[in-house]
Amino acid sequence: MRFLVLLLCLVAAPAFAQPRVPESREQIALSFAPVVKRAAPAVVNITTRRTQQALPSPLLQDPMFRRFFGDQFPGMGQRVQSSLGSGVIVDPSGLIVTNFHVIRGAEEIVVSLADRREFEATVARGDERTDLAILRIDARGERLPFLEMRDSDDVEVGDLVLAIGNPFGVGQTVTQGIVSAVARTMAGISDFRFFIQTDAAINPGNSGGALVAMDGRLVGINTAIFSRDGGSNGIGFAVPANMVNTVVASVRAGGRLVRGWLGAAGQAVTQDVAAAVGLPRPQGVVLADVFPDGPAERAGLRRGDVVLAVEGREVNDNEALRFRIATQTVGQPVRLTIARQGRTETVSVAVVAPPENPPRDTTPMRGQNPLSGATLANLSPALVEELGLDLPPRGVIVLELRRGSPAANLRLQPGDILARVNEREIRTVDDARRAAQTPLPWRLTVRRGERTLTTTIGG
């Protein structure tokens, strides 16, 4: 309450003037009701159901019980699990945005509108990498209330926002707060870790709900909270509307979801790196990997260049760079501000769809060799994007393992990169096939995340 009174005084009084006693009802009342009336009808509740195997009860194992009731007693061995979430109507024809984790594995999805009508929904697109899903309901020709999306790059720290959703299944609820941070990157939520942070109360069930600006437009989809006990601690994260818009646009266009690819990656500039490259402070992303003949290389970028901004928006880590590129239109030129040898310049890069080069050549390995039972593929920019990996797009990756196979017994894991066999580099699936024909002993080297593992087989 003191915050609201202070806000009124700051608005009503000149700078450095003494606060005045409110002189009218309008000066006393500060309400978000007009914004809520505009936005709330477009926020929906989502109920999902799926069947799970239930833990067997000792009673079900009793022969006398089974004699009378048989093996098909209701609920025997299975149970229906329900969960609740939120969503936002973004198109009057019935397109709804929610979080992917809200509908993951659902066999039935029911959407409840603010006016209590219910619709069965189908999944038009699920994008686990951004933790977004687009649902479609049959509005029978009716124009549904919807929220327009705002350019989330215009959101600033300190802006007032409302979080609208269905926390704990109690029904539609509105909470108010401010934007605590923008361009917040953090691990563990989605592959594109770039979020708007807010202190508006977000609780379980708010996932997929709307983060709304004071003009009534959507600035983000509430996705996660930082919590030690499951409740709101005032640290919530929302997927920015600009990323939401790319997923929605792909559904409207009727095609597959294609994100822009730069063909370069790097790491955040530290104080030491800044001093070495002549920057006045740590800023930007220093390129450590430039893909041959990719968009970045064709534009003249090279290792050691520092990307400072994309279309005028600062990038200070690789996650921010990936986000900025992924939200650009494929095939259109993108302006990158870079630092090179102490000079700042602007480079135009035409981002493209990640290419399938080399072809993945998916191959189940067979025969009497240590790789038997592993399914291998050539890494390419397209496959790296498809799998949501943070890897250089080259080498041979383990996609699957057959249980009990020689490869599984070696404790290989999906995602491992085959590096060398007997010090011979494995660059393609063909190299792996040839290596499989060589007699033991083997010295096998694989890369697993940041680690390099080596084992000797048959020696």
Side-chain angles (χ1 to χ4, degrees), residues 341-412:
Q341 297 178 347
R343 294 180 288 106
T344 301
E345 57 186 275
T346 300
V347 176
S348 180
V349 180
V351 297
V352 300
E356 182 103 12
N357 181 26
R360 63 187 68 188
D361 190 16
T362 304
T363 301
M365 300 294 289
R366 298 184 175 91
Q368 300 297 317
N369 64 82
L371 297 179
S372 181
T375 299
L376 308 179
N378 292 322
L379 278 176
S380 67
L383 184 57
V384 167
E385 164 71 17
E386 180 182 313
L387 297 177
L389 302 175
D390 190 14
L391 291 170
R394 56 180 68 89
V396 176
I397 188 171
V398 177
L399 293 179
E400 297 176 356
L401 289 167
R402 190 177 71 248
R403 184 177 298 179
S405 65
N409 292 336
L410 278 178
R411 298 185 179 180
L412 291 177

Side-chain angles (χ1 to χ4, degrees), residues 82-99:
S82 297
S83 60
L84 297 172
S86 306
V88 184
I89 304 174
V90 293
D91 189 287
S93 67
L95 287 184
I96 297 168
V97 177
T98 187
N99 284 136

Side-chain angles (χ1 to χ4, degrees), residues 115-131:
D115 62 11
R116 301 177 63 182
R117 286 184 294 167
E118 293 186 349
F119 297 85
E120 289 190 5
T122 57
V123 180
R125 172 140 299 147
D127 185 29
E128 191 169 7
R129 297 200 63 194
T130 56
D131 196 15

Side-chain angles (χ1 to χ4, degrees), residues 10-233:
L10 290 174
V11 171
F16 306 110
Q18 291 295 323
R20 295 184 301 172
V21 176
E23 298 174 355
S24 66
R25 181 182 179 87
E26 288 73 19
Q27 291 180 354
I28 295 175
L30 177 64
S31 175
F32 300 109
V35 180
V36 175
K37 287 179 181 178
R38 177 177 175 180
V43 181
V44 302
N45 296 341
I46 295 176
T47 305
T48 65
R49 298 183 181 92
R50 62 175 176 171
T51 303
Q52 282 192 326
Q53 289 298 118
L55 294 175
S57 167
L59 182 63
L60 300 182
Q61 308 302 320
D62 190 307
M64 185 65 69
F65 183 91
R66 297 169 72 94
R67 176 181 176 186
F68 283 99
F69 295 103
D71 291 334
Q72 303 302 317
F73 187 80
M76 186 174 179
Q78 290 186 334
R79 63 186 176 90
V80 176
Q81 182 185 47
S82 297
S83 60
L84 297 172
S86 306
V88 184
I89 304 174
V90 293
D91 189 287
S93 67
L95 287 184
I96 297 168
V97 177
T98 187
N99 284 136
F100 182 84
H101 74 258
V102 169
I103 56 92
R104 179 190 283 113
E107 298 168 357
E108 180 184 0
I109 304 172
V110 177
V111 171
S112 303
L113 272 58
D115 62 11
R116 301 177 63 182
R117 286 184 294 167
E118 293 186 349
F119 297 85
E120 289 190 5
T122 57
V123 180
R125 172 140 299 147
D127 185 29
E128 191 169 7
R129 297 200 63 194
T130 56
D131 196 15
L132 293 174
I134 310 299
L135 308 181
R136 193 189 301 274
I137 61 175
D138 183 4
R140 302 178 181 88
E142 177 185 350
R143 284 181 60 86
L144 298 176
F146 71 101
L147 284 185
E148 294 180 359
M149 279 186 264
R150 176 176 164 179
D151 184 352
S152 52
D153 284 338
D154 290 339
V155 175
E156 297 182 347
V157 175
D159 283 352
L160 287 169
V161 286
L162 303 179
I164 309 178
N166 181 26
F168 299 110
V170 300
Q172 192 176 85
T173 301
V174 181
T175 54
Q176 172 267 325
I178 65 168
V179 173
S180 307
V182 294
R184 180 71 81 199
T185 56
M186 60 177 295
I189 298 178
S190 68
D191 290 331
F192 287 92
R193 298 181 284 269
F194 192 94
F195 299 93
I196 298 171
Q197 182 182 327
T198 177
D199 69 345
I202 297 174
N203 287 289
N206 270 114
S207 290
L211 190 68
V212 179
M214 290 299 100
D215 60 3
R217 291 189 290 174
L218 185 72
V219 296
I221 295 294
N222 298 320
T223 296
I225 59 175
F226 178 85
S227 177
R228 300 188 185 279
D229 57 8
S232 175
N233 290 333

Side-chain angles (χ1 to χ4, degrees), residues 257-261 325-334 350-354:
L257 178 59
V258 179
R259 298 187 183 91
W261 179 68
I325 295 299
T327 53
Q328 302 299 317
T329 302
V330 172
Q332 297 297 315
V334 177
V351 297
V352 300

